[in-house]
Amino acid sequence: DGRQSGVPLPSGGVLPAVALGTMDLKGEALASMLSQGFAAVDTAPTYKNETAVGQGLSPAAYLIAKVPRAATGDGQGSSGVRDALRKSLQRLGRRKADLVLLHWPDKACEDGSLAAVWAALEEAREAGEAGEIGVCNATAAVLRELLKTCRVRPAVNQVERHPLLPQWELLDYCA
């Protein structure tokens, strides 16, 4: 079972080591990939394919959903976060995502709304809409700010990291 091998999470669950990223998948390509039975699927409203992902998603698949940066701006604060998550879950045909990530939290940090935005994710977790909560593409500075006020620490910081983008400061901070 692909859900059994991976990274242990604070809840006692396990984040599968490999997930299908659905960012550029549409139509037959998406259907073909989903039919392969990936243990985990990563999606976001900004990918504009959540309905198709939901239709092809195995009920047993580990679901990683993202709350987009746009949901935290323009004074929406925490209500925008909960609304965006509920709409995503509806499009995906799920009541809950195994992991919900705040996608690109830098703006919320810059405009001073990070604590309220994160509190909304904590509320979503308490309401059963998220198994775990985390961030996606958070810098060390954002994590430092978040850790000052959060009740629930991010379970995950999903980032791009490779030889052309080593992110040493972030790696050192998280080590």
Side-chain angles (χ1 to χ4, degrees):
D1 178 5
R3 287 183 76 145
Q4 299 304 315
S5 62
V7 179
L9 294 172
S11 67
V14 176
L15 175 64
V18 177
L20 172 64
T22 61
M23 187 165 113
D24 292 324
L25 293 178
K26 304 248 188 294
E28 287 183 36
L30 175 61
S32 175
M33 294 303 289
L34 288 171
S35 73
Q36 300 302 311
F38 276 83
V41 174
D42 177 311
T43 190
T46 53
Y47 303 166
K48 305 214 181 299
N49 61 2
E50 284 180 318
T51 300
V53 168
Q55 290 170 350
L57 192 60
S58 159
Y62 187 97
L63 176 62
I64 303 166
K66 294 179 179 146
V67 172
R69 176 189 288 178
T72 67
D74 298 329
Q76 295 178 84
S78 60
S79 65
V81 170
R82 295 295 299 279
D83 187 48
L85 176 57
R86 287 182 184 125
K87 287 177 180 175
S88 284
L89 291 173
Q90 184 177 23
R91 286 187 296 267
L92 290 160
R94 292 280 185 100
R95 290 187 173 163
K96 173 185 178 180
D98 297 288
L99 174 62
V100 176
L101 302 176
L102 180 56
H103 207 183
W104 294 102
D106 54 325
K107 280 286 194 209
C109 190
E110 290 169 12
D111 70 16
S113 67
L114 185 60
V117 165
W118 187 257
L121 284 179
E122 291 172 333
E123 291 166 10
R125 184 174 177 262
E126 291 165 6
E129 296 168 333
E132 292 283 356
I133 54 176
V135 290
C136 180
N137 303 309
T139 63
V142 168
L143 290 175
R144 274 191 287 278
E145 192 63 31
L146 177 58
L147 292 176
K148 289 178 187 177
T149 59
C150 68
R151 288 182 295 115
V152 177
R153 293 172 63 95
V156 171
N157 181 16
Q158 181 189 70
V159 297
E160 178 182 3
R161 184 171 186 274
H162 51 76
L164 298 176
L165 186 62
Q167 303 215 45
W168 294 116
E169 179 188 1
L170 181 61
L171 183 66
D172 288 344
Y173 179 75
C174 291

